[in-house]
Amino acid sequence: MNKNLILIAVAVAGLSLVGCRGYRSEKPPIHPNPNFDWQSKVKAQTDPKALPEGVVVWGDAHGFSGAHTRDTFLKEDGRFYGGKESSADFVAKAPVQVTSDLLLRGQERFNIYCAVCHDQTGSGKGLVISRGFAPPTDLADARILAMKDGELFGVISHGIRSMPSYAKQIKEEDRWAIVLYVRALQKARTATLEDVPVDLRSSIK
Ligand code: HEC
């Protein structure tokens, strides 16, 4: 190989090593070999959140809801980050404030991430299915209607049977937004006249 080329290669390699030093990043460190470092085990052998003495937690990426600034690194809030109570039961209701912005965000995320399989109504006839992928459950199925919000959050986080996990692509705030939107879709497909305020019923008959 040409001597100059070798010199350039060494310089680039050197720079890329030196260049990484001293910078803080909001992103989690690259973790090439996960080796069971993260497991969805509810009962831990030791407290994984226990920090060595003198360690200062820093970093606060801004969540969509803006509500969990300090916690985005430690993820101590098991209800928000895990969808579970400390008793390990699923949370009944999404631990977020329901706003129309959050619902719209959920709609947008659902249409990006879920509709390819579940279709935009949630009935399960997405494009990917027409190409031979396992058909998903109808999201307005009585069993899914009866699920707690935390359980829906868990399906997005961990996947289920032939559905893959979306934890890497969708951060927690957005998972809750999607859960709220799934509830709205369910309502849209299962509501009856009884759900309409009495004084408005005549207008839709
Ligand atoms: C690649 C296709 C695909 C995508 C994308 C997808 N799902 Fe699914 N989903 C499935 C399939 C397939 C099933 C049925 C799994 C089974 O029973 O084997 C399913 C099942 C479910 C269930 C029912 C779980 C149960 O207990 O039976 C829920 C709820 C759900 N998906 C929500 C979502 C949401 C919300 C998103 C978007 C974040 C999403 N899915 C994205 C394919 C997908």
Side-chain angles (χ1 to χ4, degrees):
M1 207 199 284
N2 183 318
K3 225 186 202 168
N4 284 342
L5 272 182
I6 296 176
L7 265 181
I8 291 170
V10 169
V12 168
L15 273 180
S16 61
L17 284 178
V18 174
C20 295
R21 297 188 47 179
Y23 289 102
R24 283 181 158 189
S25 168
E26 294 288 333
K27 296 188 189 127
I30 296 168
H31 206 102
N33 182 4
N35 244 350
F36 292 102
D37 287 352
W38 300 284
Q39 298 183 57
S40 24
K41 184 89 171 78
V42 175
K43 263 189 324 186
Q45 285 180 323
T46 54
D47 179 4
K49 304 280 157 74
L51 296 172
E53 208 181 320
V55 167
V56 178
V57 177
W58 69 275
D60 85 356
H62 293 283
F64 178 70
S65 61
H68 285 78
T69 44
R70 193 197 98 84
D71 206 20
T72 42
F73 193 77
L74 269 188
K75 304 202 168 182
E76 276 170 322
D77 183 347
R79 302 183 77 244
F80 184 82
Y81 288 101
K84 289 192 174 172
E85 304 287 355
S86 48
S87 61
D89 288 334
F90 288 113
V91 300
K93 288 269 163 257
V96 290
Q97 217 188 338
V98 185
T99 61
S100 53
D101 278 353
L102 196 61
L103 257 181
L104 285 172
R105 174 82 179 172
Q107 176 181 44
E108 182 200 53
R109 299 290 109 178
F110 182 92
N111 288 340
I112 291 172
Y113 290 108
C114 320
V116 283
C117 295
H118 288 273
D119 78 57
Q120 295 203 354
T121 71
S123 77
K125 301 186 179 69
L127 209 64
V128 174
I129 310 314
S130 67
R131 300 289 189 276
F133 193 82
T137 324
D138 182 344
L139 295 182
D141 191 280
R143 190 172 56 80
I144 315 295
L145 286 174
M147 280 183 175
K148 293 180 174 172
D149 284 0
E151 204 171 353
L152 290 176
F153 179 90
V155 171
I156 305 174
S157 307
H158 308 298
I160 186 161
R161 297 179 292 271
S162 39
M163 171 179 154
S165 154
Y166 282 85
K168 288 246 162 44
Q169 294 94 324
I170 309 174
K171 59 189 170 138
E172 290 84 355
E173 286 89 342
D174 284 340
R175 283 179 233 162
W176 286 119
I178 291 174
V179 168
L180 295 179
Y181 183 66
V182 167
R183 292 300 185 212
L185 281 179
Q186 291 176 330
K187 201 82 196 154
R189 291 183 48 223
T190 57
T192 62
L193 199 58
E194 310 303 304
D195 295 304
V196 181
V198 180
D199 49 328
L200 292 176
R201 283 183 198 166
S202 59
S203 65
I204 55 166
K205 261 188 178 164

